[in-house]
Amino acid sequence: MHSIKAAEVTLRGVGVCCAVGNTVLHTLLVPDHLEEMFYIGVLFAVGSAIMLGVAVALAVVKRPLVAWLTGTLVSLGMIVGFALSRTVGLPGGYYEDGWESPYGPLSVLVEGLFVIAFVAWLGDRAAHGVTPALRYAPHPEENHTFSSENAIQ
């Protein structure tokens, strides 16, 4: 049982570090992007706030599946947005040249590592026969019978 605990703590730690890194990197870029293309600045601010919440949730929540899923969706969205902004452009004619060193490469790195940590977390849970759940699953020995007498009308 100790191996699942060690893997859980390690992968959550990686997730927290990546989420905090993502938050810091994008927060630093918010002011410039608000001036350059307002909606991009707003997206950076919202993404930063969400990833800060993800970091906190990964650190304190007992069942972190929602935090992992949220962080993964935001990270993948940021990676796709980054790629589109440097290839075909984004709405409003937003197009950027290059990688904006060091922010671009570091952002893609922490976002990619977050997604990899999530996949590893899922794999570790599956390898140990633990199924992540989004909601409460009653213990099989508990009596949860339903009768029409108990229904709320």
Side-chain angles (χ1 to χ4, degrees):
M1 190 66 160
H2 292 310
S3 64
I4 193 168
K5 281 277 196 199
E8 174 84 13
V9 170
T10 301
L11 291 169
R12 280 197 196 207
V14 170
V16 167
C17 290
C18 290
V20 168
N22 185 319
T23 299
V24 169
L25 289 165
H26 286 90
T27 299
L28 290 171
L29 296 171
V30 167
D32 290 340
H33 283 84
L34 284 172
E35 287 180 22
E36 187 178 345
M37 183 67 71
F38 184 77
Y39 83 92
I40 299 292
V42 170
L43 288 173
F44 274 33
V46 169
S48 295
I50 291 170
M51 290 307 287
L52 183 58
V54 165
V56 171
L58 286 176
V60 301
V61 173
K62 184 176 180 181
R63 292 188 176 107
L65 181 59
V66 172
W68 278 116
L69 289 172
T70 302
T72 297
L73 288 173
V74 171
S75 293
L76 289 173
M78 288 180 171
I79 291 169
V80 169
F82 182 85
L84 290 175
S85 71
R86 280 143 182 85
T87 54
V88 298
L90 295 174
Y94 186 78
Y95 177 83
E96 294 226 26
D97 288 325
W99 281 73
E100 285 185 66
S101 291
Y103 301 107
L106 288 174
S107 295
V108 172
L109 176 67
V110 297
E111 292 153 4
L113 283 175
F114 187 93
V115 173
I116 290 168
F118 170 60
V119 170
W121 179 81
L122 278 179
D124 183 66
R125 310 266 312 162
H128 288 90
V130 179
T131 306
L134 288 174
R135 61 183 180 84
Y136 170 76
H139 193 276
E141 294 175 7
E142 294 177 11
N143 185 5
H144 292 281
T145 58
F146 178 81
S147 70
S148 60
E149 297 167 1
N150 296 336
I152 298 175
Q153 307 227 351

